[in-house]
Amino acid sequence: WEEHGFDVATMGFISPNDLSRRLEDGAFINVLDVRGDAQWETGAISGAAHVIAGHVANRLDEVPDASHPLAIVCNTGFQSTVVGSVLARHGYGDLFNVTGGMSAWIQNGLPLNPHEPQPVD
């Protein structure tokens, strides 16, 4: 890829515990949850925006702005990597994949903000 002159981008990683501490300390970091609706409704990181992974490219107006670091979380960490690539192509820079996703967040006993199911239009 690099030999052919194509750009290479990287995305940082942040552990669930480190993200939780940063959020508790009031750090300027946004969270984007890209899980499906059913997973989202079981609970999420407080203050997280929610856009399903496959919809991110068409719903960029719902993604937190790029003026602060953005932690992307899915269930295990795979989809958030893909979403990070999409966001990087749209000018987002300071991106972090939440290591292990919400599965790791829950395993570490970190707080969840419960959500009520939303009516479908």
Side-chain angles (χ1 to χ4, degrees):
W1 189 261
E2 290 176 278
E3 290 176 13
H4 293 293
F6 296 114
D7 290 336
V8 176
T10 60
M11 182 165 68
F13 289 90
I14 188 167
S15 75
N17 287 324
D18 287 343
L19 176 58
S20 180
R21 274 192 292 278
R22 287 182 71 177
L23 292 170
E24 286 175 13
D25 291 344
F28 291 105
I29 186 166
N30 292 315
V31 179
L32 175 64
D33 190 321
V34 297
R35 298 175 298 154
D37 288 336
Q39 292 171 321
W40 167 259
E41 290 168 2
T42 65
I45 298 169
S46 184
H50 178 236
V51 181
I52 296 171
H55 298 218
V56 168
N58 295 321
R59 294 172 57 188
L60 290 170
D61 59 323
E62 297 176 47
V63 174
D65 67 59
S67 63
H68 298 295
L70 180 62
I72 307 166
V73 65
C74 62
N75 195 43
T76 61
F78 175 73
Q79 287 182 322
S80 52
T81 301
V82 174
V83 169
S85 175
V86 170
L87 292 175
R89 285 194 307 269
H90 288 280
Y92 283 76
D94 206 0
L95 301 170
F96 294 89
N97 184 347
V98 179
T99 308
M102 287 303 292
S103 294
W105 184 274
I106 292 165
Q107 286 175 345
N108 283 288
L110 299 170
L112 291 174
N113 185 25
H115 296 282
E116 294 296 321
Q118 299 298 311
V120 177
D121 293 342

